[in-house]
Structure formats: C-alpha cells, structure tokens
Amino acid sequence: MKRILFVTLLLPLALLGGCAKSYDYTAHISECRSDVFRAETEAYSVTFSVVSREYPYQDDGIACPMERVGEVYLTASQGGDFEVYLVGEEGWGGEMSFRTARGDYFFSQSLPTVPEQSITLRIVQDGKPCEIAATSVKTEETLSPEAALSHAVAAEEEAIARMTKDGAFCGEFRVRLLRRDATYYYVGIVGTDKTKISLLLDSETGEVLAKRGAP
C-alpha cells in the first residue's frame, strides 16, 4: 500500500516535469535566418538569405507575427546600376539599392517558397544579365534553427528562468545562421525587462563559443 501511495504521489510531479521540458520556446522567435546561399565570381560576391522577421521589428521582448523574405547582398568589382532576380520564382526581383555605409547593393522581397541546397540568381548590371549559381552554407550536420535555439536555452537556463513569470517566458529570440570563416548560429535573447544576451554557437554541435550580455 505504501509503495502504491508513493508512486501515486510521484506521478503528478513527473507530469509537471514533463510539461516544463516541453515548453515551446520557438513561439517566441521574432527573427529567424534559416538559410544562407553564397556565390563568388571574379566580378561579384553574392549572398542570398532566407529570413523570417516580425513586423514591426523592435527589441521589446515581444514576438510578433513574422513575414518570410529573401534578402540579397551584392558587392561588385565595378559599380553601376544593378537588378537581381531569383530564377524559377516568377515575379521575384527588381532594382537593387546601393548602401553607402556598407559599400554593397541590397534587395529584399517577400519569399513565397523556401529554396533548398542551391539557387540561381540573375544579376543585371547596366542592362547586361548574367546568371550565378549560389549554394547553401548548410550541410547535413548543420543544426536546424529550432535545435540551435534549444541549445541556447539550455546554456542560459538560469537567465531564462529569471525571464519566466507564471510559467510563461517573457522575451523574444533572434536566431540567425551566419557564415564567416565557418558557419555559426547567433542567438539573441531579449527580455521584456530589457535583458539582452547574445550567443555565438557552433552550427553543428550547439556549443556556445562566445557570449555577450547579462551574466
């Protein structure tokens, strides 16, 4: 009888523990760069990013509905007037704007479908077109954005707990796939209490490589 009573008392605790572990932190993502496609030629360096981002975009700790867009960043050996088009995606593309502060050309537009592995971009410079194949920086070992977020939440368990009230997380997450010398994930944590934490993660293991922000 004592054993039955002991098990009966433990069961609700186990269920509560299970509920805590299953909290859906992805519901608090307010920006997600899920893929990056890159191409290099003698004339151009091109990056195409698949990004879902809240609107309005604010660091207020509150995740709003997101819109998926494709963003193109282009640097060229020679300046001029540029247009960019995503081959196979009818209606996607247009004139690029030059960003003086960064010295590159930029274009962004809503993206109906998510490309995989590789894409073809048509670059038009001063009316002369050329097509460039860009490949994803992701490999079979690259974590998904959701998995990267899970690693970040585990690494910042104490901070996440402080930002949780009545069982609900009071904050938002920025999850961005990055390509520099290698591929990384950036995870930004922003609380409604103005807490800000930035993490750089290994894109395959989820290990935190660098941190900035609240202890």
Side-chain angles (χ1 to χ4, degrees), residues 126-163:
D126 297 327
K128 299 179 180 179
C130 73
E131 293 191 354
I132 300 176
T135 56
S136 172
V137 302
K138 296 197 300 185
T139 68
E140 293 181 356
E141 288 74 34
T142 304
L143 296 171
S144 67
E146 294 78 12
L149 175 59
S150 179
H151 282 282
V153 169
E156 292 298 319
E157 184 177 1
E158 292 184 4
I160 296 296
R162 292 194 299 269
M163 299 165 68

Side-chain angles (χ1 to χ4, degrees), residues 76-90:
S77 59
Q78 295 183 350
D81 294 324
F82 285 89
E83 300 170 42
V84 63
Y85 300 93
L86 181 58
V87 176
E89 191 69 63
E90 185 177 355

Side-chain angles (χ1 to χ4, degrees), residues 48-167:
F48 180 97
S49 298
V50 178
V51 182
S52 294
R53 185 180 292 118
E54 69 175 357
Y55 184 82
Y57 187 74
Q58 296 178 335
D59 279 341
D60 55 7
I62 302 173
C64 296
M66 296 188 293
E67 177 187 15
R68 184 173 62 235
V69 299
E71 297 181 342
V72 182
Y73 306 84
L74 179 145
T75 57
S77 59
Q78 295 183 350
D81 294 324
F82 285 89
E83 300 170 42
V84 63
Y85 300 93
L86 181 58
V87 176
E89 191 69 63
E90 185 177 355
W92 197 97
E95 184 178 352
M96 305 188 76
S97 58
F98 182 70
R99 304 191 299 180
T100 304
R102 297 178 180 266
D104 65 0
Y105 296 84
F106 176 75
F107 179 82
S108 176
Q109 184 177 331
S110 297
L111 189 65
T113 59
V114 179
E116 297 181 4
Q117 297 182 337
S118 65
I119 60 173
T120 300
L121 294 171
R122 181 178 297 114
I123 307 296
V124 182
Q125 181 178 8
D126 297 327
K128 299 179 180 179
C130 73
E131 293 191 354
I132 300 176
T135 56
S136 172
V137 302
K138 296 197 300 185
T139 68
E140 293 181 356
E141 288 74 34
T142 304
L143 296 171
S144 67
E146 294 78 12
L149 175 59
S150 179
H151 282 282
V153 169
E156 292 298 319
E157 184 177 1
E158 292 184 4
I160 296 296
R162 292 194 299 269
M163 299 165 68
T164 300
K165 296 181 181 179
D166 298 325

Side-chain angles (χ1 to χ4, degrees), residues 14 17 21 35 39 78 84 94 122 126 172 180 189 192 212:
K21 292 180 180 179
D35 209 343
Q78 295 183 350
V84 63
R122 181 178 297 114
D126 297 327
E172 61 183 328
R180 299 294 184 265
I189 305 172
T192 55
R212 183 175 63 187

